Amino acid sequence: MPSLPVLVLNSGSSSIKFSLYQACDSTQTKLFEGAVDGIGTDLGKFWIKDAAGKKLVDQTPALPTRAVAFKLVADALHSGSYPAPAAIGHRMVCGGPTVQKNQLITSELIDEMERYTAFAPLHTPIAVYIMREALRLFPGVPNFVCLDTYFHRTMPEVVTHMPIPEEYSAMGVRRYGYHGISYESIVYQLQPNVPGRLIVAHLGNGASISAIRNGQCLDTSMGLTPTGGIISGTRTGDIDPGVLLFILRKIAQTTESASAAADQLEIVASKKAGLLGVSGRSNDMRELREAIRDGDAKARLAVDKFVWTIAKWIGSFVAELGGLDMLVFTGGIGENDIATRAEICAGLGALGIMLDPERNNTRGKATISADNSPARVRVIPPAEDLIIVNHVVRLLGE
Ligand code: AMP
């Protein structure tokens, strides 16, 4: 296949990130990347920089709506200053039970994925909106969906099945798992020496952890929605269902309809909980570390809970994998927060995880375990856009 410009779109609740690669089967070269950030505000950010990091666009436009934000991106790409995309890859968090493979996007496929908005309610509406806009604004250009759930398709039924009545399972309620494109990118970067028993901890504002056997996902912490699993910036993670019922009943006392009460509960569990809920201060690890330095006991508790849950999940995954060859940290916290990595690993010596404090005193790609550590511990930044480009190139060739 000839080398083609491939655009990657990754939409979030208040931002649209994009990058353009020149790609064929064997090589992928990033040409530029950019973002519109601050959607819904009067003072957004719109920037594009080339592969060397040189800013090509640096603006602070009003971004009242997603439509305005995406039009800025489309206009820039149509301006003639950049190669026009020959194909577009969209990151999609969850396509529901019927859309589990990366594939060509049609309007029918978008409608089908939209039926399962409840499984990723903070992500799906914006992603399907951008897909429809991309089909409209880039006519004739093939668009492909790349799912975070795709990497987790190899999990056995005992992992994916939820202990609930069958009627709900039949509606697609099961463990899907998220951050899959990040996990896929770690396995990709480890090739050709992917360890047999691998645990990857994706620790960012959203956080999850996966057990990977021979390069294939065996288990992951997130469940039906990205709210499950380990606690993260603003999400509860796994929690006694009785806690949610208690909060729901409290909310229902002052709410008019059941659906409004459910919406409020969703905000509590997804946007007000986690590190933010416990600390009462911030969901941002850098701010929490500063607060800890100032003696803030709630910030300390929030970070301790984060560390404790991750260590517990690592322990259960080591048991599931029957041992451990490598632990990889990735995501904003995993790559940068030296203290979090040290605190997680401090109690895991019995599992063969031993850090070298000096090697751990670093940010970005590195091996941070001691020479005598039975399991190797590494820090590897994710390369999600590259994985999306690879899928697009493969699907174009099919
Ligand atoms: P992400 O969602 O992957 O962008 O990660 C965001 C999280 O990474 C936030 O909690 C940040 O505070 C954290 N983070 C980013 N840089 C650093 C750093 N230098 N030290 C500690 N935490 C960081």
Side-chain angles (χ1 to χ4, degrees), residues 285-286 289 303 331-343 360 362-363:
M285 185 56 83
R286 273 170 297 199
R289 288 285 173 197
V303 173
I333 299 170
E335 288 161 46
N336 297 300
D337 197 41
I338 295 157
T340 294
R341 293 194 304 251
E343 289 165 15
N360 185 41
T362 185
R363 299 200 162 90

Side-chain angles (χ1 to χ4, degrees), residues 11 18 34 47 85 90 119 129 137 167 172 205 225 281 300-301 304 321 329 334 338 353 363 375 383:
S11 46
F18 56 95
W47 58 268
H90 295 253
F119 295 176
Y129 175 84
L137 294 172
E167 62 186 293
N205 196 29
T225 72
R281 184 170 186 142
R300 183 70 262 176
L301 179 63
D304 283 350
L321 287 164
F329 287 103
I338 295 157
I353 296 169
R363 299 200 162 90

Side-chain angles (χ1 to χ4, degrees), residues 43-63:
L43 195 63
K45 281 191 188 143
F46 175 40
W47 58 268
I48 301 178
K49 59 186 181 189
D50 67 16
K54 186 174 152 228
K55 282 256 166 96
L56 306 174
V57 173
D58 194 5
Q59 299 171 6
T60 51
L63 297 172

